[in-house]
């Protein structure tokens, strides 16, 4: 667990980016340095990246100066990364339009059915807030839409002897039954990680990695701030405890002979007693 956090308690992106897995899901409490730290690592290493959001409405906010996701980095590092809307996308550049591209922002709901776009200049995807919040609009066949987009970016790199595109998926613990955990059949795995206080899981083929930012030093400090001292347990569980608003102690085995199966959807089976 010590490798996941640096000496100041923030997420250790040197460690995460050094892993061999190509698709890395990082789920943790708010304000632990997920997005900020990931952006800053890529910028300082000179790695332009694709900034992926779920919805067009989310990307529209990120096109505005007030919603610029690089605002804090600009303040801290004396940069001037500003958005330049370009059709359905947004290009982030450090300075004027003729300066180097830092990132290109796209929305999954828009690019889901687009093919043939050349993203060969990008070796990284940062999928921010990949787990939707309550009330957010669903995307039809979202998991397949994501896989299609990854294929569009990755293309034939591996066949050409190049590394696969590294996709960093950043999320808060909003919903364990999200399209990605169900699509990869890892909901039970994540619950077991929470129960066992396990921070890292790797797929047997070493292509995917799940990181749960459990026991974050920053979360422990945030618990003593005004908001969390006055929040209800559900909000604290989601925002700080990284437990998907689920009290796993309420989950227990039941004799299935007492139940009638109604329907199965992916990993979820629904029964009546």
């Amino acid at each position: 667990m010590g490798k996941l956090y640096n000496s100041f308690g923030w997420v250790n992106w040197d460690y995460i980016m050094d892993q061999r897995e190509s698709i890395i899901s990082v789920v943790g409490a708010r304000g632990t340095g997920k997005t900020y730290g990931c952006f800053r690592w890529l910028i300082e290493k000179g790695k332009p990246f694709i900034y992926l959001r779920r919805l067009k409405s989310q990307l529209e906010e990120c096109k505005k100066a007030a919603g610029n996701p690089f605002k804090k980095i600009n303040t801290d590092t004396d940069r001037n990364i500003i958005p330049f809307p370009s059709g359905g996308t947004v290009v982030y550049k450090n300075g004027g339009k003729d300066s180097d591209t830092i990132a290109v922002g796209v929305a999954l709901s828009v690019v889901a059915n687009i093919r043939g776009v050349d993203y060969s200049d990008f070796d990284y995807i940062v999928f921010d807030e990949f787990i939707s919040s309550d009330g957010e609009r669903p995307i039809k066949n979202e998991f397949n839409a994501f896989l299609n987009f990854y294929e569009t970016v990755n293309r034939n790199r591996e066949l050409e002897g190049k590394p696969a595109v590294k996709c960093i998926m950043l999320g808060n613990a909003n919903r364990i039954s999200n399209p990605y955990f169900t699509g990869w059949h890892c909901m039970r795995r994540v619950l077991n990680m929470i129960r066992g206080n396990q921070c890292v899981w790797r797929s047997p083929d070493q292509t995917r990695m799940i990181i749960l930012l459990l026991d974050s030093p920053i979360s422990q400090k945030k618990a003593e701030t005004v908001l969390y001292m006055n929040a209800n347990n559900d909000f604290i569980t989601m925002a700080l405890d990284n437990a998907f608003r689920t009290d796993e102690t309420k989950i227990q085995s039941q004799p299935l002979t007492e139940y009638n199966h109604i329907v199965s959807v992916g990993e979820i089976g629904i029964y009546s007693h």
Side-chain angles (χ1 to χ4, degrees):
M1 185 182 297
K3 295 180 181 178
L4 283 179
Y5 307 106
N6 61 28
S7 58
F8 298 101
W10 301 105
V11 178
N12 183 359
W13 283 101
D14 284 331
Y15 166 75
I16 294 175
M17 291 299 194
D18 194 43
Q19 304 307 301
R20 65 173 295 174
E21 284 77 10
S22 299
I23 301 176
I24 303 177
S25 304
V26 182
V27 179
R30 295 179 175 181
T32 52
K34 298 190 301 296
T35 304
Y36 176 93
C38 184
F39 281 4
R40 187 158 177 175
W41 189 94
L42 290 166
I43 292 169
E44 292 180 349
K45 300 293 183 182
K47 306 289 186 181
F49 61 94
I50 297 172
Y51 175 52
L52 179 64
R53 298 298 302 263
R54 291 185 64 253
L55 303 175
K56 179 181 178 181
S57 59
Q58 295 170 332
L59 186 66
E60 289 297 324
E61 288 301 312
C62 296
K63 291 180 180 180
K64 303 174 183 177
N68 183 357
F70 299 95
K71 190 188 305 182
K72 175 65 172 170
I73 289 178
N74 286 341
T75 301
D76 292 348
T77 64
D78 197 29
R79 287 182 170 86
N80 186 31
I81 303 172
I82 51 179
F84 293 92
S86 176
T89 66
V90 55
V91 181
Y92 296 94
K93 291 177 176 287
N94 185 25
K97 287 188 176 182
D98 295 330
S99 57
D100 292 337
T101 297
I102 299 295
V104 170
V106 298
L108 183 61
S109 61
V110 174
V111 300
N113 298 312
I114 296 176
R115 305 289 186 272
V117 180
D118 184 5
Y119 290 113
S120 58
D121 292 339
F122 300 95
D123 296 327
Y124 293 85
I125 301 170
V126 178
F127 191 176
D128 200 15
E129 296 188 12
F130 77 95
I131 301 176
S132 63
S133 300
D134 291 340
E136 276 189 19
R137 179 175 72 82
I139 299 173
K140 185 178 180 180
N141 298 323
E142 181 170 342
F143 181 64
N144 286 336
F146 167 76
L147 294 181
N148 282 326
F149 179 70
Y150 184 87
E151 164 63 17
T152 297
V153 179
N154 196 47
R155 288 296 183 185
N156 294 325
R157 300 186 195 215
E158 294 165 270
L159 302 182
E160 297 168 355
K162 301 174 183 177
V165 170
K166 188 175 286 288
C167 181
I168 307 297
M169 306 175 70
L170 307 174
N172 298 320
N174 296 321
R175 296 170 54 236
I176 195 168
S177 57
N178 62 74
Y180 305 94
F181 288 174
T182 56
W184 278 311
H185 305 289
C186 60
M187 287 198 305
R188 186 186 300 273
R189 167 64 59 188
V190 172
L191 276 176
N192 288 337
M193 290 174 69
I194 295 171
R195 291 187 182 121
N197 204 41
Q198 176 186 349
C199 295
V200 176
W201 173 83
R202 304 171 193 273
S203 62
D205 60 7
Q206 296 184 306
T207 60
R208 287 188 298 110
M209 183 178 184
I210 297 174
I211 296 176
L212 300 184
L213 300 175
L214 305 172
D215 297 329
S216 162
I218 299 300
S219 292
Q220 294 170 11
K221 294 178 181 178
K222 286 172 71 72
E224 300 172 1
T225 60
V226 170
L227 171 63
Y228 297 99
M229 291 174 67
N230 291 276
N232 60 42
N233 288 335
D234 274 354
F235 182 81
I236 293 172
T237 296
M238 179 276 294
L240 294 183
D241 294 343
N242 201 42
F244 294 96
R245 304 177 70 175
T246 301
D247 181 359
E248 63 271 17
T249 61
K250 295 181 180 179
I251 300 174
Q252 52 187 296
S253 298
Q254 295 288 332
L256 284 181
T257 54
E258 297 181 5
Y259 290 79
N260 294 316
H261 178 258
I262 299 174
V263 65
S264 291
V265 183
E267 288 189 282
I268 302 171
I270 300 176
Y271 295 77
S272 65
H273 190 269

